[in-house]
């Protein structure tokens, strides 16, 4: 840490000295009146740029100094919690392979925040349901520089960690993407925040949420129980708390313990390992990161675990999408309100071979429906699976005079093969 701080300080000294030499050289050259005017403007511009850069470096140094003591405390606590895990000081080395990560490793919750002062609703629920500050430290990464939101986050004191994305500048975008500037900034923020978590703080896994998510009572229980499954099964690349088909009328609310594998990346409260970040960071996109995650090149045939009933719910109508889907869809997602003791359950049925054997048998043994029955909202006794939602009830096979297919629920859109 001291070596890194020294490098930053020397970098600042060299930066200031170099700019001073350039300014001295330009100023001492013989110039005409108009040249002097242009030179003055150039000097002012360079000075402003230097001031911005110095402020940015000062903020980074401030964060490093602020969290160096917290890092030492976390290191000691992690060693106490997981003696089998070797915890090192922050470096840029690649993370350990999943087989080297302890099932009891610390799982920080990274809250991606910007300009929503309503982040309080998110943080209050996280702190209320959190079973252990040591096992689940909360890191709020703030972009945007919004002062009111910063004050709200700061009001939680040392119960959370508050870090700030230092680069608040606009991002050059193609002309037809000017209205999507916000999506570019979100992708930049995600990359910075996850790099802090895995490169600077050296965590081995992290749960990512956004500032407009409210969590369920068993949110932490769910991730604590499913984390060993993620470590053990290389065909999994994330654990998600979200069901995209999670409207109340489409899920089996009587069975909140049901979990499924999905080929669709759900996001909205998800757990990833540090070795996945090693893979994704070098090619991280400039914008639309969640859609990018759903491309075959990133997924590489891997799946995520997701619940029948969501363990997160979004309350953020305001955002870069301007409430595009909130009023029509997102606000109707059912948030689980019953605590399920997942850590006392055997989740090995979610491993690839076990899961495919049982799940496909259920699908192909399902009763057959005509499309007209589905469209007319008939045959409700078949349960939620018949409507292509969570698959918690009895599955159904849909047919029509024109086509016949078997539809497998469990993704954002029902997949028919």
């Amino acid at each position: 840490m001291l070596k890194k701080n020294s490098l930053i300080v020397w970098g600042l000294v060299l930066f200031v000295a170099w700019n001073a030499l350039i300014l001295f050289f330009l100023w001492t050259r013989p110039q005409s009146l108009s040249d002097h005017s242009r030179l003055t403007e150039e000097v002012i511009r360079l000075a402003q740029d230097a001031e911005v850069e110095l402020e940015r470096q000062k903020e980074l140094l401030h964060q490093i100094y602020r969290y160096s003591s917290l890092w030492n405390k976390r290191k000691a606590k992690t060693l106490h919690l997981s003696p089998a895990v070797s915890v090192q000081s922050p470096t840029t080395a690649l993370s350990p392979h999943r087989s080297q990560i302890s099932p009891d490793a610390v799982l920080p919750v990274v809250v991606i925040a910007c300009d929503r002062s309503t982040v309080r609703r998110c943080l209050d629920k996280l702190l209320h349901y959190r079973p252990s500050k040591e096992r689940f430290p909360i890191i709020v990464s703030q972009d945007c520089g919004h002062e009111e939101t910063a004050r709200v986050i700061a009001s939680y004191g040392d119960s959370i960690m508050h870090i700030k994305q230092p680069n608040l500048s606009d991002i050059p975008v193609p002309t037809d993407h000017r209205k999507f500037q916000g999506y570019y900034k979100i992708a930049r923020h995600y990359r910075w925040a996850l790099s802090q978590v895995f490169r600077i703080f050296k965590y081995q896994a992290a749960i990512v949420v956004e500032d407009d998510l409210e969590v369920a009572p068993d949110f932490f229980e769910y991730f604590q129980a499913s984390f060993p499954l993620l470590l053990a099964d290389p065909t999994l690349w994330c654990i998600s708390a979200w069901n995209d088909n999670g409207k109340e009328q489409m899920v089996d609310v009587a069975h909140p313990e049901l979990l499924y594998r999905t080929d669709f990346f759900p996001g909205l409260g998800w757990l990833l390992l540090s070795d996945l970040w090693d893979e994704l960071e070098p090619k991280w996109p400039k914008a639309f990161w969640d859609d990018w995650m759903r491309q075959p090149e990133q997924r590489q045939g891997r799946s995520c675990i997701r619940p029948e009933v969501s363990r997160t719910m979004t309350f953020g109508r305001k955002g870069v999408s301007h409430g595009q889907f909130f009023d029509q869809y997102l606000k109707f997602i059912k948030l689980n309100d019953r605590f399920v003791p997942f850590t006392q359950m055997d989740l090995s049925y979610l491993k690839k071979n076990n899961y495919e054997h049982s799940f496909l048998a259920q699908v192909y043994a399902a009763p057959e429906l005509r499309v007209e029955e589905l469209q007319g909202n008939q045959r409700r006794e078949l349960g939620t699976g018949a409507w292509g939602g969570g698959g918690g009830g009895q599955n159904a096979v849909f047919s029509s005079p024109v086509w016949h297919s078997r539809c497998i629920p469990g993704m954002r859109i029902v997949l028919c093969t």
Side-chain angles (χ1 to χ4, degrees):
M1 178 65 72
L2 289 174
K3 183 180 291 186
K4 184 168 185 178
N5 290 346
S6 299
L7 287 174
I8 293 175
V9 171
W10 277 109
L12 285 173
V13 171
L14 290 173
F15 176 82
V16 172
W18 177 252
N19 280 280
L21 285 172
I22 292 175
L23 292 175
F24 177 77
F25 173 75
L26 292 173
W27 191 260
T28 55
R29 289 177 60 191
Q31 303 287 338
S32 65
L33 186 61
S34 60
D35 288 339
H36 274 297
S37 177
R38 287 195 298 270
L39 180 59
T40 301
E41 293 176 359
E42 182 67 15
V43 168
I44 293 173
R45 187 188 65 80
L46 287 171
Q48 290 173 339
D49 290 345
E51 183 180 2
V52 170
E53 182 64 25
L54 285 171
E55 285 297 320
R56 184 180 301 171
Q57 296 295 335
K58 186 174 73 174
E59 177 63 25
L60 285 172
L61 280 172
H62 175 74
Q63 291 188 30
I64 289 171
Y65 285 128
R66 179 183 175 189
Y67 294 122
S68 60
S69 59
L70 293 177
W71 162 257
N72 292 329
K73 292 179 183 179
R74 189 192 75 78
K75 178 179 177 180
K77 291 175 181 177
T78 304
L79 286 169
H80 176 72
L81 282 170
S82 308
V85 180
S86 175
V87 182
Q88 302 174 356
S89 59
T91 68
T92 56
L94 293 181
S95 305
H97 189 270
R98 65 175 65 197
S99 62
Q100 299 174 296
I101 300 176
S102 167
D104 296 321
V106 174
L107 300 178
V109 179
V110 185
V111 182
I112 304 295
C114 180
D115 59 354
R116 290 189 180 102
S117 57
T118 52
V119 65
R120 185 180 298 279
R121 179 173 171 182
C122 171
L123 294 176
D124 284 349
K125 286 299 176 71
L126 285 171
L127 291 169
H128 178 69
Y129 294 130
R130 180 172 66 173
S132 166
K133 180 179 179 180
E134 291 72 28
R135 180 77 196 276
F136 299 101
I138 297 173
I139 303 172
V140 184
S141 179
Q142 187 189 359
D143 199 1
C144 308
H146 191 249
E147 289 299 328
E148 182 182 354
T149 302
R151 285 194 294 271
V152 170
I153 298 169
S155 70
Y156 287 87
D158 62 1
S159 60
I160 65 171
M161 183 185 296
H162 184 194
I163 60 177
K164 298 178 181 179
Q165 200 283 111
N167 186 2
L168 305 182
S169 63
D170 283 340
I171 301 173
V173 301
T175 303
D176 57 343
H177 273 206
R178 286 177 181 170
K179 63 181 179 180
F180 300 129
Q181 174 79 212
Y183 292 98
Y184 282 79
K185 290 186 176 181
I186 288 173
R188 178 177 66 186
H189 184 196
Y190 261 87
R191 179 170 191 162
W192 182 86
L194 291 176
S195 293
Q196 296 298 300
V197 170
F198 293 123
R199 302 286 181 251
I200 302 301
F201 299 120
K202 204 62 178 179
Y203 286 108
Q204 298 169 335
I207 302 167
V208 183
V209 302
E210 296 185 5
D211 56 358
D212 62 344
L213 291 183
E214 181 176 329
V215 302
D218 56 356
F219 174 86
F220 292 98
E221 174 79 1
Y222 169 64
F223 282 113
Q224 184 171 334
S226 56
F227 179 54
L229 188 67
L230 181 62
L231 294 176
D233 189 347
T235 68
L236 293 174
W237 71 323
C238 87
I239 308 292
S240 175
W242 177 263
N243 177 6
D244 258 302
N245 291 323
K247 290 184 178 181
E248 186 164 8
Q249 69 272 23
M250 297 177 70
V251 296
D252 191 349
V253 293
H255 295 283
E257 75 280 2
L258 295 174
L259 306 177
Y260 297 92
R261 294 175 69 103
T262 174
D263 291 342
F264 185 83
F265 172 72
L268 294 178
W270 56 290
L271 168 65
L272 76 157
L273 299 177
S274 54
D275 62 357
L276 179 61
W277 184 242
D278 293 338
E279 173 190 326
L280 298 178
E281 183 186 25
K283 57 178 181 177
W284 191 252
K286 294 182 178 179
F288 312 111
W289 71 270
D290 48 347
D291 290 330
W292 176 84
M293 287 280 287
R294 292 165 187 138
Q295 296 173 358
E297 294 80 4
Q298 279 60 256
R299 190 172 70 82
Q300 297 182 12
R302 294 169 294 190
S303 301
C304 292
I305 300 298
R306 60 92 179 161
E308 166 73 1
V309 186
S310 289
R311 265 57 186 187
T312 55
M313 175 191 73
T314 178
F315 55 84
R317 188 179 186 279
K318 171 192 172 185
V320 292
S321 63
H322 306 291
Q324 184 179 3
F325 300 111
F326 184 82
D327 290 331
Q328 297 177 344
Y329 180 73
L330 293 175
K331 71 178 183 181
F332 299 109
I333 296 294
K334 169 65 177 176
L335 179 67
N336 179 58
D337 55 8
R338 295 167 55 187
F339 187 92
V340 176
F342 284 114
T343 55
Q344 301 174 29
M345 300 168 59
D346 181 7
L347 302 183
S348 62
Y349 71 92
L350 290 165
K351 292 184 177 180
K352 182 178 175 62
N353 292 337
N354 299 340
Y355 184 83
E356 288 185 348
H357 177 75
S358 61
F359 183 67
L360 292 177
Q362 292 178 39
V363 171
Y364 283 91
E368 187 174 293
L369 287 182
R370 295 176 64 85
V371 173
E372 291 79 7
E373 294 178 90
L374 174 67
Q375 292 174 336
N377 208 30
Q378 302 171 32
R379 301 291 298 275
R380 293 291 300 196
E381 75 279 5
L382 288 172
T384 55
W387 317 110
Q394 183 178 1
N395 295 307
V397 177
F398 307 131
S399 67
S400 77
V402 180
W403 54 267
H404 180 277
S405 67
R406 294 183 178 271
C407 297
I408 304 175
M411 300 187 183
R412 189 172 199 168
I413 301 174
V414 176
L415 174 65
C416 300
T417 59

